[in-house]
Amino acid sequence: MMTSTSGFTTLVRSSPYLMMALLVIPVLSGLIAVILPAFGWFPVLGHTQFSVAGFVDLWQTPGLGYMALLSVSTSFISTLLAFVITILILGSYFTSPWLGYIQRLLGPILVIPHAAAAIAIGFLITPSGMLSRMVSPWLSGWDAPPDWLYPHDAMGLSIIIGLTLKELPFLLLMALGVLAQPELGHTLRAQHRVALSLGYCPMTAFFKVVLPSLYPFLRLPILAVLAYASASVEIPLILGPNSPPTLAVAIMQWFHDVDLSLRIKASAGAILQIVLTLLLLLSWWLLEKLIKKSSRTMLINGQREYAGAIMQNITHVLTVVIISAIGLALIGMMLWSVAGFWHFPTVLPQQFVSLHWQSALQQMHTPLLDTVLIGVCATSLAIILTLFTLEAEQYTGKMVSRLSSVIIYLPLLIPSIAFLFGLVWLLEQINSHHSFINVVLAHLLFVLPYVFLSLSSSYRRLDPRFSTVAASLGASEAKIFWQIKLPMLLAPILIACALGLAISFSQYLPTLLAGGGRINTITTEAVSLANGGSRRTSAVYALVQMALPALGFLLAWLLPKMLFRHRE
């Protein structure tokens, strides 16, 4: 018994170091392995001397400036729009039950993978999509699809729409999660009520009292969203322009080109992508400081009204438009999955068929199995590491340091397209041909931060008196962990599992790169079909891709109710 307890304690105490190593070593190794080819060190092609030829080749690429500008503008504008709409919704409905309704409506959007969301938005804004079909009866001359270039427009407006609609639910739910914390949420609501009693309009009270205290908790999620958007591949690949594409999409194309010498240019492009992302994060930080400095006087000038009623009306319209757009996009995708003949401009298909589902389901057995197995393996590893790391906090009495917190979110803050290419090159150097294991470990880099974020607050809020009482009765640390803490945390653990599975199911670039094209998942198949396959078949794959995480969250909600149905 003593040996077992000692082994458990050793395992728990070493788990934080193991988790940090699993995050730091692949990311830093990947960065080093992408920096070396960028500066000419690529022994496979006989390049064993450092040079800047890769950057020279990159600068000479036609349209490089436009690629970089497209990446920067679409990511910054979409993140800014998502943030502004988030705070407008919070300010308008802060004391209203409508905030809970909006949360329930937008919450399920969070689990929709980026590729599926992009496909759905494409069905909405394409010339023969749901938007033009809904508008055509009210406009004369719309007997044929309108002549517009959405999606794939050169300015990247389709990318901005896609990223904004996908980022908005995440930021809103992060903010609501902060407000759900008992002490902070109660304090902010009390301060908001005091401001209202002093004559401040609801919007002004929110911006002057609540937002300054709320924003520090949203900074890291916003930066993570901005970093992801700057190097996103799935949404620009499906919705963005093709000639030239965004920089991240171009880097991916260079890396997969049959001409291996283009990998040097791809590595140089990855370095440029890192620089652009850092500049974006720096720009956001500078904008934050500028707004903080310029609004200092406004916060204390005592003015009660800043066009609050107009802002609320604008927010009402925006909320209705966003929810309607998301609903129409999903309806359009479902209709295309069962549509036979569908003449424009009719709103509904003339024929409903199941042929697309039948043919797709016959072909997706292997991708579906790989998707589930990879997700289960990556999520299980993430749950185990997170639980043991949080338990180690209980042993030492110290929360993870600020440096450790940054390390945990490192894969989310560094453009994945940069270090993943280096990681693939490193795997090639060590002659790793275990594609499935490589993909699982690549997914773990992105699943682990979200699982830790989901579980940490619940684990830390667990009442320590249960453990104290159990220890006083002679229970070992292992017994307390397995028989007391885990059963009490079953619901949060299941939610974290569902979130981890959803993150894994949505991974496109890690699967494509780490698997070397030998592992196909529902996501990789959906993206491939969206870029040249049948619209109806791609709708089926996108719906299956959405159904997988939804099923995970449904099970996470049902299992505690079934297991604890006899308890008060």
Side-chain angles (χ1 to χ4, degrees):
M1 182 67 180
M2 290 296 294
T3 304
S4 175
T5 302
S6 176
F8 175 78
T9 303
T10 303
L11 180 61
V12 168
R13 289 184 179 275
S14 62
S15 58
Y17 303 103
L18 177 60
M19 185 171 76
M20 297 304 165
L22 283 173
L23 291 172
V24 172
I25 292 175
V27 173
L28 293 186
S29 300
L31 287 175
I32 293 171
V34 84
I35 289 172
L36 291 177
F39 286 93
W41 184 270
F42 201 43
V44 175
L45 296 181
H47 297 276
T48 55
Q49 292 184 345
F50 290 104
S51 69
V52 293
F55 289 98
V56 173
D57 192 17
L58 178 67
W59 303 141
Q60 294 175 349
T61 302
L64 177 66
Y66 186 80
M67 296 178 196
L69 180 61
L70 192 63
S71 297
V72 169
S73 60
T74 54
S75 57
F76 192 86
I77 293 172
S78 63
T79 304
L80 184 62
L81 282 175
F83 172 67
V84 169
I85 297 172
T86 295
I87 60 175
L88 285 175
I89 290 175
L90 288 171
S92 296
Y93 304 108
F94 191 68
T95 57
S96 168
W98 280 101
L99 188 59
Y101 302 146
I102 294 171
Q103 179 184 2
R104 295 187 189 96
L105 286 171
L106 294 181
I109 308 302
L110 185 62
V111 306
I112 298 178
H114 288 84
I119 293 171
I121 293 167
F123 287 140
L124 175 69
I125 63 177
T126 193
S128 59
M130 289 301 296
L131 183 61
S132 56
R133 289 177 184 272
M134 295 292 291
V135 172
S136 59
W138 309 97
L139 298 175
S140 60
W142 273 46
D143 297 330
D147 185 18
W148 64 41
L149 294 177
Y150 300 101
H152 310 302
D153 60 290
M155 295 180 63
L157 295 179
S158 304
I159 303 176
I160 293 173
I161 293 171
L163 288 172
T164 302
L165 292 180
K166 193 68 182 71
E167 293 164 356
L168 173 61
F170 174 73
L171 293 180
L172 182 61
L173 293 177
M174 287 293 103
L176 292 173
V178 173
L179 294 173
Q181 297 179 15
E183 293 185 6
L184 180 63
H186 177 75
T187 301
L188 292 179
R189 285 184 171 84
Q191 292 174 350
H192 189 262
R193 287 194 296 270
V194 171
L196 293 178
S197 68
L198 293 175
Y200 286 86
C201 80
M203 290 293 288
T204 304
F206 177 83
F207 278 94
K208 287 193 173 186
V209 176
V210 178
L211 186 58
S213 300
L214 177 64
Y215 181 79
F217 295 93
L218 296 179
R219 182 180 290 111
L220 188 58
I222 291 171
L223 295 180
V225 163
L226 183 59
Y228 169 81
S230 68
S232 173
V233 171
E234 300 97 313
I235 289 181
L237 195 61
I238 296 172
L239 297 178
N242 299 316
S243 54
T246 61
L247 181 60
V249 173
I251 294 170
M252 185 191 70
Q253 292 171 349
W254 295 334
F255 187 85
H256 281 287
D257 198 282
V258 293
D259 184 0
L260 292 181
S261 63
L262 285 178
R263 290 198 178 188
I264 298 176
K265 184 166 78 168
S267 297
I271 301 299
L272 177 60
Q273 181 65 69
I274 294 174
V275 172
L276 291 178
T277 300
L278 291 176
L279 287 175
L280 277 169
L281 297 178
L282 178 62
S283 300
W284 188 274
W285 179 78
L286 291 174
L287 180 64
E288 177 186 318
K289 295 297 181 184
L290 179 63
I291 292 176
K292 183 178 180 180
K293 184 176 181 179
S294 61
S295 62
R296 191 170 297 165
T297 304
M298 185 195 72
L299 292 174
I300 59 176
N301 62 7
Q303 187 168 338
R304 266 65 171 171
E305 175 68 47
Y306 283 95
I310 297 175
M311 292 172 66
Q312 281 187 318
N313 290 332
I314 293 173
T315 306
H316 297 332
V317 174
L318 277 175
T319 305
V320 171
V321 168
I322 289 169
I323 293 175
S324 301
I326 293 172
L328 272 178
L330 295 177
I331 290 171
M333 187 163 62
M334 288 186 285
L335 288 175
W336 275 111
S337 71
V338 294
F341 180 72
W342 193 358
H343 182 267
F344 188 89
T346 56
V347 176
L348 295 176
Q350 281 76 27
Q351 282 182 306
F352 290 93
V353 297
S354 61
L355 176 64
H356 321 305
W357 279 94
Q358 293 172 3
S359 60
L361 291 175
Q362 289 174 359
Q363 300 170 3
M364 68 170 59
H365 292 100
T366 301
L368 182 60
L369 182 62
D370 286 342
T371 301
V372 174
L373 286 177
I374 292 168
V376 169
C377 292
T379 303
S380 300
L381 288 172
I383 291 290
I384 292 169
L385 285 170
T386 297
L387 287 173
F388 283 175
T389 300
L390 292 171
E391 180 65 10
E393 286 186 0
Q394 306 288 323
Y395 286 5
T396 60
K398 297 179 181 179
M399 293 176 57
V400 294
S401 63
R402 184 178 294 273
L403 176 61
S404 299
S405 298
V406 173
I407 290 174
I408 290 171
Y409 302 112
L410 197 63
L412 306 182
L413 297 175
I414 296 178
S416 60
I417 200 162
F419 69 83
L420 280 176
F421 286 130
L423 184 60
V424 171
W425 181 81
L426 191 65
L427 292 172
E428 291 174 351
Q429 301 308 303
I430 63 176
N431 202 27
S432 175
H433 298 297
H434 304 287
S435 300
F436 184 85
I437 297 175
N438 294 343
V439 173
V440 169
L441 293 178
H443 281 215
L444 181 63
L445 293 174
F446 302 94
V447 172
L448 187 54
Y450 285 101
V451 168
F452 189 88
L453 179 67
S454 174
L455 258 182
S456 57
S457 59
S458 299
Y459 205 100
R460 290 164 180 164
R461 287 203 305 263
L462 192 64
D463 195 333
R465 290 177 294 181
F466 290 105
S467 301
T468 304
V469 171
S472 68
L473 296 174
S476 65
E477 292 175 335
K479 190 173 183 179
I480 293 172
F481 177 78
W482 294 111
Q483 297 186 17
I484 295 177
K485 291 184 178 180
L486 293 193
M488 295 179 68
L489 290 166
L490 179 62
I493 289 173
L494 290 174
I495 292 296
C497 287
L499 179 61
L501 288 171
I503 298 300
S504 178
F505 293 158
S506 67
Q507 296 302 313
Y508 171 71
L509 197 61
T511 306
L512 189 67
L513 297 180
R518 292 181 290 272
I519 300 291
N520 291 322
T521 63
I522 296 297
T523 299
T524 59
E525 293 293 296
V527 174
S528 299
L529 288 167
N531 285 283
S534 165
R535 180 181 293 184
R536 292 162 173 82
T537 307
S538 65
V540 174
Y541 272 84
L543 287 171
V544 172
Q545 193 190 17
M546 291 168 51
L548 289 175
L551 180 61
F553 278 96
L554 180 63
L555 289 174
W557 178 68
L558 287 176
L559 284 177
K561 295 181 179 295
M562 295 171 61
L563 294 174
F564 300 145
R565 64 182 182 274
H566 298 304
R567 299 187 184 183
E568 289 293 330

